[in-house]
Amino acid sequence: MEIFKRYLKRYFIDAMGAMALGLFASLLIGTIFKAIGMIPHLEFMATIGGYAQAMAGASMAAAIAYSLKAHPLVMFSAASVGYAANALGGAGGPLAVFFIAIVAVEIGMLVSKKTKIDIVVTPFVTVFVGGVFSILVAPHIGTLVGYISKFIGWAALQAPLITGIIVSVVIGICLTLPISSAAICAGLCMTGSLAVEGGNEGLAIAGAAAVAGCCAQMVGFAVISFRENRWGGILSQGIGTSMLQMPNIIRHPQIWIAPTLASAITGPLAVCVFDLKMYGAAINSGMGTCGLLGPIGIVLGWLTPENGYPYEVSALNWIGLILICFLIPAVLSFIFNEILRRIGWVKDGYMKLDA
């Protein structure tokens, strides 16, 4: 059991979290550069952003290798593997990179520093294994992810209320858990952007619901723990991460009720009332208010021409964005938490963050 837990942490917490950082350092920052490039006389920023986005696969794989404490030659070779897996994985590129990079890195580590010609053997084995898996497996991962994404998109179009609740709650919970909600959203292609293979209207709806759920968790915990953590907690959880509450959730799981109930309301409100849709980068769907990247992703989806947002952005959209990402989750979480305090389920000190 201990071995299982160790590998679960190694791959699905450490490696997946690092993969998200690789996405931030390439695809996400590239998107921001491209948005800045829309300003007159700053067109060169869009060019820089394009190069950054092109390196998403390599950045993800290198980050995964780093998290697995790979030797330098294995880590550098992993970049080639990530590029291939991402390119051949299509809509499932990030997920293909995740699995294939792990396999290539672990096998590369088996031979690393074991021979006198390590400078040849290690990169050869790492790139060969990763390349073969990319050719044989990545397209099938892409196909599988395509089916899952299409189902989510179809469900969102057929039943936006129910899908909004489910996606908002599940992705919001993933954000607070020590796994990467951003990587999950990127892997499932939760965007309607025309610049992303597999993006569609239904996934744009799901992406907006995911943003709502993540914001509800972060803003919710920031507000309901204000008694214990004051303004430092507002900043560290509200624009940092609600994952900081995990030790307290393990001790007192009932503190998770208020922000989760809030997410079950804000998700469907976002897509059914305020007509929010995610046409920005899919990774933004799983960011919430972390660096304000969730709402920024929606705004960039509206404003960046290559994303192909098909509607006029209305005042209702702007008002809804502010309400869904900040005000409504704050108010709802506060109300739910006060009810829980009245019935004795939540007490002072339950959400105190370690200094």
Side-chain angles (χ1 to χ4, degrees), residues 3 32 46 77 100 112 125 132 143 153 163 169 172 184 240 246 253 270 274 282-283 341 348 355:
I3 294 176
I32 293 172
S77 302
I100 292 172
S112 180
V125 170
V132 169
T143 301
T163 305
V169 169
I184 291 171
M246 273 313 299
F274 297 109
I283 189 175
R341 283 179 176 274
D348 288 345

Side-chain angles (χ1 to χ4, degrees), residues 257 336-347:
I257 294 174
F336 291 141
N337 190 64
E338 286 303 304
I339 294 172
L340 293 172
R341 283 179 176 274
R342 292 285 179 88
I343 63 178
W345 284 21
V346 175
K347 298 179 180 178

Side-chain angles (χ1 to χ4, degrees), residues 34-182:
K34 279 193 166 185
I36 297 173
M38 296 169 63
I39 301 173
H41 309 300
L42 291 179
E43 292 82 2
F44 71 95
M45 297 289 279
T47 303
I48 295 173
Y51 288 127
Q53 289 179 324
M55 288 297 103
S59 296
M60 284 187 284
I64 289 169
Y66 176 81
S67 75
L68 298 178
K69 297 180 172 57
H71 297 157
L73 273 177
V74 177
M75 190 184 307
F76 305 149
S77 302
S80 300
V81 174
Y83 182 84
N86 194 48
L88 294 171
L95 201 61
V97 172
F98 175 70
F99 289 112
I100 292 172
I102 287 174
V103 172
V105 167
E106 294 288 33
I107 293 178
M109 286 295 289
L110 294 177
V111 300
S112 180
K113 298 185 178 182
K114 299 294 194 303
T115 69
K116 293 183 179 180
I117 52 172
D118 185 59
I119 196 170
V120 174
V121 173
T122 296
F124 180 87
V125 170
T126 305
V127 174
F128 176 77
V129 170
V132 169
F133 270 84
S134 294
I135 293 169
L136 297 179
V137 178
H140 299 294
I141 293 177
T143 301
L144 177 61
V145 168
Y147 287 142
I148 296 172
S149 296
K150 285 179 181 177
F151 173 76
I152 295 172
W154 173 83
L157 288 172
Q158 300 302 312
L161 176 66
I162 301 301
T163 305
I165 294 172
I166 295 172
V167 171
S168 183
V169 169
V170 171
I171 300 298
I173 287 173
C174 288
L175 178 133
T176 299
L177 287 169
I179 57 179
S180 177
S181 57

Side-chain angles (χ1 to χ4, degrees), residues 204-296:
I205 294 171
V211 171
C214 292
C215 290
Q217 290 282 329
M218 297 179 66
V219 172
F221 270 120
V223 169
I224 66 177
S225 69
F226 185 77
R227 284 183 177 89
E228 291 91 345
N229 303 306
R230 312 305 293 177
W231 294 107
I234 290 286
L235 293 175
S236 62
Q237 297 170 95
I239 60 174
T241 175
S242 54
M243 197 184 301
L244 295 171
Q245 285 290 347
M246 273 313 299
N248 293 328
I249 290 172
I250 292 171
R251 288 190 289 265
H252 310 289
Q254 63 270 32
I255 66 174
W256 214 349
I257 294 174
T260 303
L261 285 177
S263 70
I265 295 173
T266 58
L269 279 178
V271 300
C272 295
V273 176
F274 297 109
D275 199 27
L276 296 180
K277 295 180 176 67
M278 170 59 80
Y279 274 77
I283 189 175
N284 289 72
S285 298
M287 292 298 298
T289 53
C290 176
L292 304 180
L293 290 172
I296 285 174

Side-chain angles (χ1 to χ4, degrees), residues 181-218:
S181 57
I184 291 171
C185 288
L188 292 176
C189 192
M190 284 199 181
T191 178
S193 174
L194 296 180
V196 177
E197 183 180 350
N200 59 52
E201 179 82 356
L203 289 172
I205 294 171
V211 171
C214 292
C215 290
Q217 290 282 329
M218 297 179 66

